[in-house]
Amino acid sequence: MLQLDSHPTGRHFLQIPGPSPVPDRILRAMSLPTIDHRGPEFGVLGRQVLSGIRQVFKTQHPVIIYPASGTGAWEAALSNTLSPGDHVLMYETGHFASLWQKMATRLGISTEFLAFNGSDEHLPQAPGWRRGVQADLIEARLRKDSEKKIKAVCVVHNETSTGVTSDIASVRRAIDAAGHPALLMVDSISGLASADFRHDEWGVDVTISGSQKGLMLPPGISFNAISPRALEAMKSAKLPRSFWAWDEIVEMNKDGYWPYTPNTNLLYGLSEALDMILGEGLDKVFARHQRWGAGVRAAVNAWGLPIQCADPAVYSPVLTGVITPEGVDADAVRRLIHQRFDLSLGTGLGKLKGRMFRMGHLGDSNDLTLVAMVAGVEMGLKLSGVKLAGSGVQATMDYFAGHAAPAALQKAA
Ligand SMILES: *Cc1c(COP(=O)(O)O)cnc(C)c1O
């Protein structure tokens, strides 16, 4: 049992970029009694969430919901569309892109990992981990593949390890410009429902997502949005799959049911989340996250610390990575902030370990919770002996005060 008696007063500040803070409304919806997953009420719930989630992916085609973390949905995307020894082109934007590439290799897929080939003054060990996908590199590689050996192009939409987004429409244009038949698979585990995403319009064949980031749910369900071309590819794909197999699930989903026991209470939560997100309107949801991101970046700029994302055109609206000065262990700063202020920040992953930390601005947040997060980080940096150029708290307050949320987001007077 968790030692709740030692829990500090007030709310914990869960400012990692997923799991994100879950709104009380969603927690309450999840607390309803579990029902028979073969009974009539369940079919209503199943059909409702399966139709609502398509609106979030912006697709007319099936979306599969798995009782699994995002990693499971990565495996589902690969195993349903590819055969052993198939060659795929992946793009190294950060730690999550690297983990997906490692998984593909373990599944017996032959992978080629494209990366930014320039240099970086702050992070010479990982120059590509500060930028988004360069579609021209993908186009050039596909043009050289005259025998069409490359079966899929795999990219991450919002690289959660770095706070960098990638322009997915430009990747689709690159594939089309090269006249290449490869499938386009996109990890939008942390982008969906926070950053603009359009499965059909951008010609994505499989989009992978998860519950615990933009959808504001606890971890435990994940998604594959699938195009007709991906469903067609499934018919000849030879990688072993059973639990992940799309065909049986798509068939039973037509009536709102699953071949096995789905995650009933998380589906109650999903239903509530869809009401909240679609009720607010996706464009407003995206604008809200953009504004939060700008407010938090104002703090980092005021501190005079480098933002992990080196290209302002692709700043993530979901999280902001902060590079600590040479010699300052970012994990020690995080630990101190957690101990002193009950605030959890994201750690530096993989090649970034100890060199940066991540501040999430997603889930059940608002201007004041984000000002509080910035305050916790500012106190922690000072206590760690980091020389700051100015006050980030002041900069964030100035940003939010000076950039009122659109009227629709404000409370009535
Ligand atoms: C969180 C995340 C994952 C991993 O998902 P799990 O639910 O932890 O399995 C993969 N890719 C991205 C971009 C993520 O943000």
Side-chain angles (χ1 to χ4, degrees):
M1 184 69 193
L2 208 61
Q3 298 240 309
L4 292 176
D5 54 346
S6 69
H7 201 283
T9 56
R11 282 221 166 195
H12 173 66
F13 277 78
L14 182 67
Q15 301 296 154
I16 59 175
S20 57
V22 180
D24 291 350
R25 204 177 135 178
I26 290 180
L27 290 173
R28 278 195 296 273
M30 289 180 54
S31 73
L32 293 176
T34 304
I35 54 173
D36 173 8
H37 63 288
R38 314 259 183 227
E41 297 95 342
F42 191 91
V44 175
L45 170 70
R47 289 192 295 274
Q48 185 196 331
V49 292
L50 286 163
S51 132
I53 196 67
R54 288 184 190 191
Q55 294 181 54
V56 178
F57 280 94
K58 297 198 175 159
T59 181
Q60 308 286 329
H61 303 293
V63 176
I64 307 271
I65 307 177
Y66 292 107
S69 90
T71 303
W74 265 348
E75 179 162 339
L78 299 172
S79 68
N80 274 284
T81 54
L82 299 168
S83 299
D86 273 357
H87 193 65
V88 302
L89 190 61
M90 303 180 105
Y91 197 105
E92 183 183 351
T93 44
H95 188 64
F96 287 105
S98 304
L99 289 177
W100 197 16
Q101 186 257 350
K102 204 169 109 195
M103 168 190 275
T105 308
R106 288 181 72 157
L107 290 172
I109 295 162
S110 142
T111 64
E112 186 173 332
F113 215 18
L114 277 184
F116 171 71
N117 47 15
S119 59
D120 190 87
E121 57 164 327
H122 292 293
L123 289 170
Q125 74 276 32
W129 290 34
R130 299 193 67 197
R131 290 161 181 86
V133 168
Q134 269 184 270
D136 55 330
L137 295 183
I138 293 178
E139 182 177 336
R141 179 61 189 92
L142 292 176
R143 280 186 189 280
K144 278 203 282 181
D145 181 31
S146 50
E147 290 173 48
K148 313 285 187 239
K149 285 212 163 110
I150 296 170
K151 296 293 178 228
V153 174
C154 300
V155 294
V156 175
H157 173 222
N158 183 69
E159 179 51 83
T160 325
S161 62
T162 61
V164 179
T165 60
S166 282
D167 179 351
I168 302 304
S170 77
V171 178
R172 166 44 69 194
R173 283 195 299 275
I175 298 172
D176 291 349
H180 202 287
L183 294 172
L184 172 56
M185 301 211 226
V186 178
D187 168 346
S188 190
I189 293 182
S190 65
L192 191 80
S194 295
D196 188 16
F197 192 83
R198 311 174 194 185
H199 180 86
D200 287 1
E201 187 184 322
W202 293 347
V204 184
D205 291 298
V206 187
T207 303
I208 298 108
S209 196
S211 56
Q212 75 273 30
K213 318 252 167 118
L215 288 171
M216 310 183 290
L217 294 163
I221 50 177
S222 55
F223 308 89
N224 274 179
I226 46 188
S227 74
R229 278 192 70 222
L231 272 174
E232 197 52 39
M234 175 192 74
K235 294 182 184 155
S236 53
K238 299 254 169 358
L239 275 175
R241 58 184 177 272
S242 167
F243 178 77
W244 305 116
W246 289 337
D247 47 1
E248 280 183 18
I249 305 173
V250 169
E251 200 45 45
M252 288 202 64
N253 275 178
K254 287 181 181 153
D255 299 316
Y257 296 93
W258 272 260
Y260 44 73
T261 316
N263 210 328
T264 309
N265 289 55
L266 272 167
L267 296 181
Y268 294 156
L270 176 59
S271 170
E272 198 70 14
L274 291 170
D275 281 354
M276 292 174 77
I277 291 165
L278 297 173
E280 180 178 353
L282 284 170
D283 289 341
K284 284 184 199 149
V285 170
F286 302 149
R288 181 157 56 71
H289 287 84
Q290 290 287 355
R291 183 172 165 280
W292 286 346
V296 170
R297 288 192 302 273
V300 186
N301 289 330
W303 292 329
L305 297 175
I307 292 173
Q308 175 71 30
C309 177
D311 176 3
V314 289
Y315 282 144
S316 170
V318 174
L319 74 140
T320 299
V322 181
I323 302 176
T324 49
E326 200 72 58
V328 175
D329 177 3
D331 281 332
V333 177
R334 278 190 332 108
R335 251 190 323 273
L336 182 145
I337 292 171
H338 181 251
Q339 280 164 1
R340 290 287 300 268
F341 308 116
D342 196 25
L343 160 61
S344 295
L345 298 165
T347 186
L349 293 164
K351 293 180 186 175
L352 304 177
K353 182 152 184 46
R355 290 298 290 115
M356 59 87 84
F357 60 85
R358 296 169 297 144
M359 299 193 280
H361 25 88
L362 72 166
D364 194 36
S365 302
N366 59 34
D367 290 5
L368 295 187
T369 60
L370 296 179
V371 169
M373 165 179 74
V374 167
V377 173
E378 184 162 317
M379 288 188 284
L381 287 167
K382 281 188 183 163
L383 286 167
S384 305
V386 178
K387 291 261 174 304
L388 301 178
S391 169
V393 178
Q394 190 62 54
T396 299
M397 292 196 300
D398 289 346
Y399 185 89
F400 287 147
H403 298 79
L409 299 184
Q410 295 177 23
K411 298 218 172 195

